[in-house]
Amino acid sequence: MAIDYQERIPNNVDLGSNRTLQRALEHWQPEFLKWWQGMGPTDFQASDVYLRTATSVDAKGWATYGHVRMPEYRWGIFLADQDPNRKIGFGDEYGKDVWQQVPGEYRSVLRRLIVTQGDTEPASVEQQRLLGHSAPSLYDLRNLFQVNVEEGRHLWAMVYLLHGYFGRDGREEAEQLLGRHSGSIDNPRILSTFNEPISDWLSFFMFTYFTDRDGKFQLKSLAESSFDPLARTCQFMLTEEAHHMFVGETGIGRVVKRTLEVMREIGSDDPDAVRKMGAIDLPTVQRYLNFWFSSSLDLFGADSSSNAASYFANGIKGRPDEAQYEDHLAESQTYELEIPDGKGGVAVESLPMRNAMNEVTRQAYVRDCEVGITRWNRTIAKAGFSFALQLPSTRFRRSIGSWAGTPTDPAGTPISAEAFEAGRTQWLPTEADRAYVQSLMQPVTEVGKMAGWIAPPDRGINSQPVPYEYVRLA
Ligand SMILES: [Fe+2]
Ligand SMILES: [Fe+2]
């Protein structure tokens, strides 16, 4: 039976004429659908969801909107258009032709990077699988599912690379991407942030703001890779990733907006009084922010890293927006890294720049995180309150890098373990915070209605009004 690959699996990789790839994907696709049914969003599989589907990479086709059932979503394979003159943009091979095939000596390193990136995509779908039952509106429910199907597509994007360029071991890795599960004791996801449960919508918005943004910076680094198919895959993924961070930024913004309305109404910023009105007090928002920001920082890896240095030297993984740097070799520069001095203070270590590439990327990420904070704080100030949300120091609550195991306060000042424990309830979500937020998680499924803890969005999706049946519940 002839299968129309363009119809079933929209793609721009000429799948129709690549028999090897077809065979690999024909075997993998039913496994993916089984995984989606078993580990993807619970229920709602028969509901029609107003989703964006990529059917090509051009301006017209990459965002096609319509109501579809999620299992019928067309997960496609897309790479940004090839630039035939593209050269290696950094490292020891700077200026040479990029690679269209995987060089033998970098095979296992590239496979590992692709698998690690690929693993996060289905992991987040698993983390979020129960959230549909407590969505604050149909608009939000639709956004959740949009993020979920696109993370599914990102998995496809990585599986395409594994199948297309890594032969048998690539196929085995692709299978294991469906075998590991978020939070599993026996077979967890690779990175720890992706094993944290996401059982409430405040966490979901924090995750899409902070953790999807980590994804953005990983993709930006990989979009610089000399392995051209990887670079082009990641470039296209970035277009979708932008919506996930939009969901996070506007989601947190709407929570803050609703809280401010309540604060004005009752003329008080007292957290208990705010909670009595069914909104989320700003100190709780800050504690969730501290948790997800610090957890996401660890995803960039150790601040001093010989792996990062060799990825850069070999042209495997660059800096985000490599073109903005003047010196693409970064051979003789140094990076001044602040580390604990072991006596309760801070020392400065001078690192070869190439060893500091994880930290360079992390700092670019931190600057990007500030944008939303500034915007939310403007809303708070406009409402006439003096509270300001803040990113904690990158030293705070770290599990990876020089600051792992050194307790600090959110400002980054080293403190004793006892002082950290004493401060914990002020700085990080408590059981009571989580229970309160959880108590708000009641589904709202009436067209145009919002839960009481969140303000409506300023506008709908794809020029639809906010009151629109974004999900037709089955
Ligand atoms: Fe993704
Ligand atoms: Fe994402």
Side-chain angles (χ1 to χ4, degrees), residues 188-388:
R189 291 297 175 181
I190 295 170
L191 301 168
S192 69
T193 307
F194 291 88
N195 287 303
E196 303 275 7
I198 300 180
S199 44
D200 65 74
W201 279 75
L202 184 57
S203 297
F204 172 65
F205 292 138
M206 293 289 170
F207 182 94
T208 42
Y209 188 79
F210 289 110
T211 311
D212 278 292
R213 193 175 308 274
D214 154 74
K216 168 182 168 181
F217 280 80
Q218 301 303 335
L219 293 175
K220 272 172 155 305
S221 301
L222 295 173
E224 302 289 339
S225 180
S226 311
F227 178 38
D228 202 43
L230 172 62
R232 291 164 55 212
T233 300
C234 292
Q235 280 163 29
F236 185 69
M237 288 162 75
L238 280 164
T239 58
E240 291 166 319
E241 207 60 62
H243 174 69
H244 308 181
M245 285 170 287
F246 162 87
V247 169
E249 184 182 332
T250 54
I252 297 170
R254 288 161 56 210
V255 170
V256 169
K257 189 174 168 194
R258 177 66 193 133
T259 302
L260 292 168
E261 283 168 11
V262 165
M263 283 161 63
R264 258 196 318 246
E265 202 182 310
I266 60 176
S268 165
D269 60 0
D270 174 47
D272 288 334
V274 169
R275 286 188 181 190
K276 273 205 190 89
M277 298 292 290
I280 303 176
D281 53 289
L282 296 180
T284 297
V285 173
Q286 177 69 58
R287 287 192 286 276
Y288 272 69
L289 186 159
N290 289 348
F291 178 88
W292 285 103
F293 177 67
S294 54
S295 178
S296 302
L297 287 173
D298 279 338
L299 295 169
F300 292 86
D303 29 19
S304 165
S305 164
S306 52
N307 276 344
S310 65
Y311 295 162
F312 188 86
N314 298 331
I316 287 168
K317 193 178 171 190
R319 288 171 286 195
D321 306 303
E322 181 62 43
Q324 74 177 2
Y325 295 91
E326 257 166 48
D327 172 6
H328 299 296
L329 304 187
E331 234 170 352
S332 49
Q333 298 161 310
T334 54
Y335 187 92
E336 307 300 301
L337 183 71
E338 291 182 344
I339 55 168
D341 68 0
K343 295 173 285 191
V346 181
V348 174
E349 188 186 42
S350 194
L351 281 184
M353 183 58 85
R354 288 181 173 188
N355 290 62
M357 288 306 175
N358 288 344
E359 190 59 23
V360 169
T361 307
R362 183 166 20 242
Q363 292 304 331
Y365 164 81
V366 172
R367 288 191 295 277
D368 206 47
C369 286
E370 290 284 4
V371 175
I373 306 277
T374 308
R375 205 162 289 164
W376 304 324
N377 283 341
R378 216 177 293 140
T379 328
I380 300 174
K382 246 199 231 155
F385 292 95
S386 60
F387 193 93

Side-chain angles (χ1 to χ4, degrees), residues 1-6 8-9 11 13-30 77 156 159-160 163-165 171:
M1 189 183 72
I3 299 170
D4 179 350
Y5 282 95
Q6 194 52 44
R8 234 180 83 191
I9 307 174
N11 70 89
V13 297
D14 203 13
L15 181 55
S17 60
N18 186 339
R19 274 303 292 151
T20 320
L21 187 59
Q22 282 173 25
R23 261 200 303 272
L25 286 174
E26 273 166 26
H27 180 74
W28 190 79
Q29 189 186 37
I77 300 170
W156 273 81
V159 164
Y160 157 71
H163 281 173
Y165 295 89
R171 290 195 294 277

Side-chain angles (χ1 to χ4, degrees), residues 116-181:
T116 305
Q117 178 62 41
D119 193 69
T120 66
E121 313 287 359
S124 66
V125 178
E126 294 168 352
Q127 287 172 290
Q128 297 161 12
R129 66 191 301 261
L130 295 172
L131 286 176
H133 295 287
S134 58
S137 71
L138 290 181
Y139 165 89
D140 291 287
L141 186 60
R142 175 265 167 213
N143 282 349
L144 167 70
F145 293 154
Q146 182 71 60
V147 170
N148 290 163
V149 294
E150 284 176 351
E151 301 305 6
R153 204 202 67 74
H154 294 174
L155 171 62
W156 273 81
M158 293 298 124
V159 164
Y160 157 71
L161 293 173
L162 291 169
H163 281 173
Y165 295 89
F166 292 88
R168 188 188 168 153
D169 29 333
R171 290 195 294 277
E172 281 166 14
E173 292 283 11
E175 257 168 59
Q176 288 168 34
L177 286 171
L178 298 173
R180 286 183 290 271
H181 296 309

